[in-house]
Amino acid sequence: MIRATRIALGVLALACFAVAATVLPALGLEGLLRLGVWLAVAIVLHDGVLVPVMQTTGALAGRLPVPRSAVLLVEGGVLVGLLVSALAIPPLATQRNGPANPTVVPQDYLANLGAFWAVDAALVAVGLVVIAWRMRRSSARPSARTPRA
């Protein structure tokens, strides 16, 4: 199984290299520079924002007397929110700078991002309520070892 996986990943990597070899020269120098800037910003966002926020969230939540499922739920909500926020950066920047064609970014991306964060927070809150409810319910049940009177 591991050998088949390695072979499949090797074939996938070669296919990616083949696509890159045909697409990258077509970008031209300006396109390659823009791609390089995009990749550099992605690395900075990942290493400078995403990882520290997730590490801090995990470290703070790990010190609280809460179940691990609640910690994972909060971390998942933060992670999804940060990733969607990172994906919203290009349309937000395009809107701010004024697109050459207004139909390129027809929505209010900042309001949409705020609405997304509100829904994300609400879903995490509902999940935390469900976790708390299940914990109370399981602790209220008499144990199988406890004899009933």
Side-chain angles (χ1 to χ4, degrees), residues 9-113:
L9 288 174
V11 169
L12 181 63
L14 289 175
C16 288
F17 286 136
V19 169
T22 58
V23 172
L24 289 179
L27 292 178
L29 183 60
E30 183 181 343
L32 288 173
L33 289 174
R34 286 178 184 247
L35 179 63
V37 168
W38 185 87
L39 289 171
V41 168
I43 290 170
V44 169
L45 281 175
H46 179 270
D47 293 348
V49 177
L50 184 68
V51 172
V53 167
M54 294 308 299
Q55 290 289 332
T56 303
T57 304
L60 292 175
R63 296 181 187 276
L64 298 174
V66 295
R68 183 74 180 141
S69 58
V71 172
L72 292 174
L73 180 64
V74 171
E75 285 181 335
V78 170
L79 177 64
V80 169
L82 289 173
L83 291 174
V84 169
S85 296
L87 290 174
I89 290 172
L92 286 170
T94 302
Q95 251 180 354
R96 182 175 172 267
N97 296 334
N101 181 354
T103 62
V104 172
V105 283
Q107 302 172 4
D108 184 0
Y109 286 93
L110 190 58
N112 290 345
L113 184 61

Side-chain angles (χ1 to χ4, degrees), residues 121-148:
L123 289 174
V124 169
V126 167
L128 292 174
V129 167
V130 169
I131 290 170
W133 175 75
R134 290 185 73 184
M135 284 184 59
R136 273 196 217 118
R137 195 173 126 205
S138 66
S139 67
R141 285 188 206 158
S143 120
R145 295 181 186 167
T146 306
R148 292 185 181 176

